[in-house]
């Protein structure tokens, strides 16, 4: 039962997070490291990747692959979290306390563990 609830929450989280890349792309622009090209395109691409990963996790046939996809995505967006910390980038115009910016870094690992436990470890959650 816990894994089923976790799966539903995971699907909803990643689909909503991905959709937000299209609803409010300006939110993500300041987080983009300067060394990355094509900022708007990468924001859209990461949004599509989150939506596809979230939807894929919802289907048993695709769950394991979607899990690895989402873990790779979380690794790929990690530099944006580092950029937020280094440049003290506000979110939605609000400056976050430095401890929150630091906490976001290990939170990526927690999210990877969540995805692994929900999608990769076992495939029998319907």
């Amino acid at each position: 039962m816990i894994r089923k609830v976790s799966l539903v929450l995971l699907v909803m989280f990643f689909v909503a997070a991905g959709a937000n890349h299209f609803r409010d792309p300006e939110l993500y622009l300041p987080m983009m490291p300067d060394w990355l090209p094509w900022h708007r395109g990468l924001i859209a691409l990461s949004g599509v990747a989150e939506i596809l990963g979230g939807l894929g996790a919802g289907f048993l046939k695709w769950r394991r692959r979607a899990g690895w996809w989402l873990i790779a995505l979380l690794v790929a967006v990690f530099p944006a979290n580092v950029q937020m910390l280094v440049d003290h980038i506000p979110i939605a115009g609000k400056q976050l306390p430095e401890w929150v910016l630091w906490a976001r870094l290990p939170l990526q690992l927690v999210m990877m563990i969540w995805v692994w436990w929900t999608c990769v470890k076992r495939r029998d959650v319907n």
Side-chain angles (χ1 to χ4, degrees):
M1 177 66 173
I2 292 173
R3 197 171 255 128
K4 275 190 178 186
V5 171
S6 180
L7 176 62
V8 170
L9 292 173
L10 184 134
V11 169
M12 290 177 13
F13 173 82
F14 278 101
V15 170
N20 197 54
H21 283 69
F22 297 97
R23 191 178 64 79
D24 191 8
E26 301 299 318
L27 178 70
Y28 301 94
L29 277 173
M31 299 177 203
M32 296 296 290
D34 291 337
W35 53 268
L36 285 173
W38 198 45
H39 289 175
R40 289 188 184 276
L42 289 175
I43 290 167
L45 189 62
S46 62
V48 168
E50 286 180 342
I51 293 168
L52 290 176
L55 291 175
F59 296 94
L60 184 60
K61 177 180 179 179
W62 295 100
R63 187 163 302 138
R64 188 172 178 82
R65 281 179 239 174
W68 285 118
W69 173 270
L70 290 171
I71 289 169
L73 179 64
L74 288 165
V75 170
V77 300
F78 187 77
N81 290 316
V82 173
Q83 193 72 38
M84 286 185 67
L85 172 64
V86 169
D87 292 341
H88 292 18
I89 296 169
I91 294 181
K94 295 183 177 136
Q95 188 63 51
L96 298 175
E98 189 161 343
W99 72 266
V100 172
L101 298 173
W102 277 103
R104 287 175 54 89
L105 301 181
L107 183 60
Q108 291 291 108
L109 179 60
V110 171
M111 292 185 67
M112 288 179 215
I113 292 168
W114 178 34
V115 171
W116 177 82
W117 182 77
T118 304
C119 298
V120 177
K121 183 179 178 191
R122 289 181 49 190
R123 295 181 59 177
D124 60 350
V125 178
N126 293 319

